Amino acid sequence: MRLQPLFLLLASSAALAACAGGAAMNAARSSNGVLPATKHPEASATVVSLGSYNINPSKVFIAGISSGGFMAVQMHFAFSGTFKGAAIYAGGPDECAQDSETTALEDCGGDGTYGSELTPSENFINANQDTAGMDPVSNISGQEVYLWSGTGDTVVPQKTMNDLQTEYQHYGATVTYDNSFDAEHGWESLDGTVSCDTLSSPYMILCDQGSTPYDSQKKWLTLFFGTLNARNSGTLNGSLMQFSQSPYGGGSNSLDTTGYIFVPQSCASGTQCGLVVALDGCEQYQGVIGDEFVTLAGLDEYADTNDFIVLYPYQTESSSNPEGCWDWWGYTNSSYALKSGVQMTDVDDMVKHVMGGTSSTPTPAPTPTPSPTAAPSSTPSPTPTTSPTPSPTATPPYSQEQTNTVVEFYAEGDITLQEYLELGQAYGYDSEITLYDCNGTWTDSSTCGPMTY
């Protein structure tokens, strides 16, 4: 059966949904489809190889809209040791579709109908967490999660996002939920070109809070990075590059051959930076809207002044995926929501490559220059004086020691929730302590004894 995915109704609805606000915005657009106010640098015409940068592993996050929202949830739960938070626009619970096209359409979104898949989703997480397919779900506890759902969304019902809120809270995430705007289905942004209550391509909407344009990116980027510098409202100083996805599976399994990456000057110069991975939705791939998801997402303007890179992997259409969606229902294989999922692996490989600059190669010790061999002499050599044999240095019982805050140890999965609570009470959650790795178990005892607290 031909798949009718998440944006099943968008093509026909777009023609009917052009209200006055959306028409005015579209009329203001230049001939190349970009608003005159756009200050993005043009991406290089040459497709480059994806680079590696100095990424702070505690500042890596993922975001997505629609099918990209479902995909971002899958990535977050499967790779919760990598991603330290998520921003989801109109997505739903992990593996919401349960490997079923019908469930995807009727319960999660696509037909605009709803049936709760919360319990099966949590059963899936519980069965797969802390396995080869999924990182420990305890990583989610304490992470910041931002959710967006419009009251007028006719594609993914708000009840589906309410289930996602419940799921994240169940696993201990700190959830911020924007769910009061009379918004249609779309990615909300200061740079959006579609009225808030309109369903229309490119599905980049702009909403108002009172008489002031809303800025949802500022809200969740602040949750992730803390107080932000003002976004660059002029010409961006960083570089927007189109990179080849071929080394990561591009050209197969509905993965496009190219993606985009925005790199601020500071990050290109070696400054340690954060990373945000942003996933577009169905009918937002390059063959339909070009680079408008990148240029209208409202992310690069903040990245330019706040030292974080934005990675935009791209999917495309195929015979099994005619609307160009990310795989959130199983059109590639049944493990689509696990680490072994084809697209999951591809995106993770891109992220690992971008983060490759964080691993430092130890400088090899210099090879000592051999002393020249003395020429034989008829004079007998003096009897050498015997030096005392030095005592061997004791080998510590632990393999490594690390100093970090209690919060960071827990975020990296080194300690359990119980240990996190006990250590936090004993030392202070934001205080730096030293822990020792004793055969994979971390303790505050340098003799590899149990936690002393």
Side-chain angles (χ1 to χ4, degrees):
M1 179 168 62
R2 179 178 170 87
L3 187 64
Q4 301 294 325
L6 187 60
F7 273 78
L8 179 74
L9 304 178
L10 290 192
S12 59
S13 299
L16 301 175
C19 73
M25 286 185 179
N26 289 329
R29 299 171 72 173
S30 62
S31 60
N32 64 357
V34 179
L35 283 177
T38 293
K39 301 296 192 298
H40 265 78
E42 289 189 11
S44 171
T46 303
V47 176
V48 301
S49 296
L50 190 59
S52 295
Y53 303 90
N54 183 10
I55 302 298
N56 182 343
S58 68
K59 296 295 182 182
V60 179
F61 308 97
I62 192 162
I65 163 67
S66 197
S67 73
F70 284 97
M71 180 73 172
V73 171
Q74 292 170 187
M75 291 291 298
H76 188 199
F77 276 97
F79 298 98
S80 60
T82 298
F83 298 109
K84 302 306 190 292
I88 310 299
Y89 292 79
D94 192 18
E95 214 215 16
C96 185
Q98 300 297 308
D99 198 18
S100 166
E101 172 192 341
T102 300
T103 301
L105 290 170
E106 295 181 356
D107 288 358
C108 305
D111 283 345
T113 56
Y114 164 78
S116 181
E117 292 294 333
L118 178 60
T119 297
S121 174
E122 292 184 353
N123 289 341
F124 171 80
I125 293 169
N126 296 338
N128 289 284
Q129 69 93 27
D130 202 9
T131 67
M134 186 181 292
D135 288 345
V137 75
S138 58
N139 292 334
I140 299 290
S141 182
Q143 292 189 0
E144 295 284 353
V145 171
Y146 172 84
L147 305 179
W148 168 279
S149 177
T151 59
D153 193 322
T154 59
V155 179
V156 176
Q158 194 167 86
K159 289 180 179 179
T160 301
M161 282 292 284
N162 294 346
D163 281 346
L164 181 59
Q165 176 192 29
T166 300
E167 181 163 270
Y168 268 124
Q169 289 176 333
H170 173 75
Y171 292 110
T174 302
V175 179
T176 301
Y177 191 10
D178 267 338
N179 59 354
S180 61
F181 287 86
D182 182 19
E184 248 294 1
H185 192 74
W187 173 286
E188 197 282 330
S189 166
L190 276 181
D191 302 305
T193 56
V194 179
S195 294
C196 188
D197 59 354
T198 300
L199 184 67
S200 179
S201 181
Y203 315 108
M204 306 297 283
I205 61 175
L206 171 61
C207 299
D208 292 335
Q209 192 170 42
S211 58
T212 304
Y214 195 57
D215 185 356
S216 59
Q217 283 71 55
K218 181 178 181 180
K219 191 164 187 177
W220 55 266
L221 289 171
T222 300
L223 295 174
F224 294 165
F225 294 107
T227 303
L228 298 172
N229 295 321
R231 65 182 235 150
N232 186 350
S233 57
T235 301
L236 301 185
N237 298 309
S239 299
L240 179 63
M241 295 170 280
Q242 190 172 28
F243 70 92
S244 173
Q245 294 189 155
S246 297
Y248 316 98
S252 62
N253 297 301
S254 288
L255 192 68
D256 206 343
T257 56
T258 62
Y260 283 89
I261 186 168
F262 179 79
V263 183
Q265 286 183 351
S266 58
C267 306
S269 300
T271 297
Q272 188 175 57
C273 288
L275 173 64
V276 173
V277 180
L279 304 176
D280 65 314
C282 308
E283 294 192 357
Q284 288 185 313
Y285 59 94
Q286 296 181 78
V288 175
I289 66 168
D291 64 359
E292 285 189 294
F293 179 70
V294 174
T295 59
L296 303 178
L299 293 174
D300 298 352
E301 290 77 10
Y302 280 111
D304 206 45
T305 56
N306 289 279
D307 297 338
F308 67 89
I309 290 170
V310 190
L311 177 68
Y312 300 93
Y314 262 102
Q315 83 297 359
T316 188
E317 87 288 355
S318 63
S319 59
S320 59
N321 176 34
E323 305 297 333
C325 305
W326 287 101
D327 187 6
W328 65 280
W329 69 85
Y331 67 77
T332 54
N333 59 25
S334 60
S335 61
Y336 66 95
L338 296 173
K339 286 184 177 181
S340 55
V342 176
Q343 292 180 354
M344 300 275 282
T345 299
D346 293 342
V347 174
D348 179 54
D349 285 346
M350 294 181 210
V351 173
K352 285 177 178 175
H353 189 92
V354 173
M355 295 180 67
T358 60
S359 57
S360 57
T361 303
T363 303
T367 303
T369 303
S371 301
T373 303
S377 169
S378 59
T379 305
S381 300
T383 303
T385 303
T386 303
S387 300
T389 304
S391 302
T393 303
T395 302
Y398 53 87
S399 59
Q400 62 173 316
E401 63 180 281
Q402 185 172 332
T403 300
N404 239 331
T405 66
V406 174
V407 171
E408 288 170 333
F409 274 121
Y410 181 67
E412 293 173 3
D414 295 330
I415 57 176
T416 66
L417 177 59
Q418 183 63 37
E419 290 169 336
Y420 166 73
L421 297 173
E422 296 285 353
L423 289 169
Q425 292 176 4
Y427 297 104
Y429 293 98
D430 293 319
S431 299
E432 287 196 341
I433 62 172
T434 300
L435 295 185
Y436 305 89
D437 184 359
C438 300
N439 296 321
T441 300
W442 291 86
T443 174
D444 58 354
S445 169
S446 61
T447 60
C448 283
M451 289 281 194
T452 60
Y453 301 121

